[in-house]
Amino acid sequence: MTVSRSPATGHTVLVVEDDASIRTLLTTALGAAGYTVASASDGRAAVFQAGSRRPDLIVLDVMLPDTDGFRLTRELRAQGVYTPVLFLTARAGVEDRITGLSSGGDDYVTKPFHVQEVLLRVRAILRRAGAPASTAPVRPPLRYAGLSLDESTHEVRHAGSPLRLSPTEFRLLACFLAHPERVLEKAEILQRVWRYDFSGDTRIVDTYVKNLRRKLDHGGAPALLHTVRGVGYCLRLPRDEPGAGTR
């Protein structure tokens, strides 16, 4: 385990990677970018570091010697640790991305990667984490068709029942609820939710929408997230459902 300190950003990043050369590359680059960096080479050390150092972000390799990053993320979430997670993975398939993001991850970078891409994604995740709650404006809950999302309490209810969402799923749903019945292009969603300031991969939007749709459609509820082929997605009731509600 190593720790690199820099006062420039005020953010701490935990790098969990068993490959020593990649771990050194990332810790050096993040440290040079102004982050305080801690590192771990396996899941056990990562859990200890996450608990003791309280990082603002975890850069997590999927393949670790004692566990995998997906399982480790689920364990952290079960323990109430909601630190954003950026996966490093050689698994580029859609199902692997769905598994990773469904486990509570916030983004992913596919190996081999350019270190600048990792830095951009780290910056984007930390930026969209937002201002402290005490300084954020208080907004009324967003409502539509039995959905209610309260940004001040971070609570979501669907048909009167609480709905558990990851931080990124929460932001994605808030984006749709802020623009009900409007078709949102994938690039626009990427900008609004992930706040990328470069040409990002819109496949992450597809993956997160699939995961969010699965949670919203649970229990026989009417489908609310609809695909507009070649364009993007729209939050609306099925065409044969009366009364779209208000936001």
Side-chain angles (χ1 to χ4, degrees), residues 182-198:
R182 174 187 158 192
V183 178
L184 298 179
E185 295 183 3
K186 294 180 184 180
E188 180 181 359
I189 296 171
L190 194 65
Q191 175 62 34
R192 289 180 179 275
V193 178
W194 281 265
R195 299 184 185 175
Y196 286 159
D197 52 6
F198 66 102

Side-chain angles (χ1 to χ4, degrees), residues 8 32 38 57 66 77 83 97 111 148 181 203 212-213 221:
L57 172 69
D66 56 347
R77 298 298 186 248
T83 305
R97 295 201 303 273
K111 294 180 177 179
S148 176
E181 303 185 14
R203 289 177 299 175
L212 182 58
R213 180 183 283 151

Side-chain angles (χ1 to χ4, degrees), residues 1-3 13-16 23 27 37-41 45 49 53:
M1 183 274 290
T2 61
V3 176
V13 178
L14 171 61
V15 175
V16 185
R23 190 169 65 249
T27 55
V37 187
S39 67
S41 59
Q49 287 280 61
R53 297 201 56 82

Side-chain angles (χ1 to χ4, degrees), residues 23-54:
R23 190 169 65 249
T24 299
L25 171 66
L26 290 173
T27 55
T28 301
L30 287 163
Y35 299 100
T36 297
V37 187
S39 67
S41 59
D42 56 39
R44 183 177 180 180
V47 171
F48 174 78
Q49 287 280 61
S52 61
R53 297 201 56 82
R54 304 285 183 178

Side-chain angles (χ1 to χ4, degrees), residues 139 142 147 149-151 154 156 165 167-180 184 192-193 212 235 247:
R139 301 176 181 174
L142 298 170
L147 276 172
L149 181 148
D150 192 326
E151 293 180 298
H154 209 82
V156 177
L165 302 179
T168 303
E169 290 168 349
F170 184 90
R171 289 190 297 272
L172 179 59
L173 181 57
C175 178
F176 283 118
L177 282 168
H179 307 281
L184 298 179
R192 289 180 179 275
V193 178
L212 182 58
L235 177 71
R247 68 175 182 141

Side-chain angles (χ1 to χ4, degrees), residues 5 8 17 36 48 60 75 84 86 96 118 137-138 174 176 189 193 202 227-228 230 241:
R5 289 185 172 85
E17 168 63 67
T36 297
F48 174 78
L60 178 58
E75 291 175 0
L86 171 63
D96 291 318
V118 175
V138 177
F176 283 118
I189 296 171
V193 178
T202 59
T227 301
V228 180
E241 291 285 339

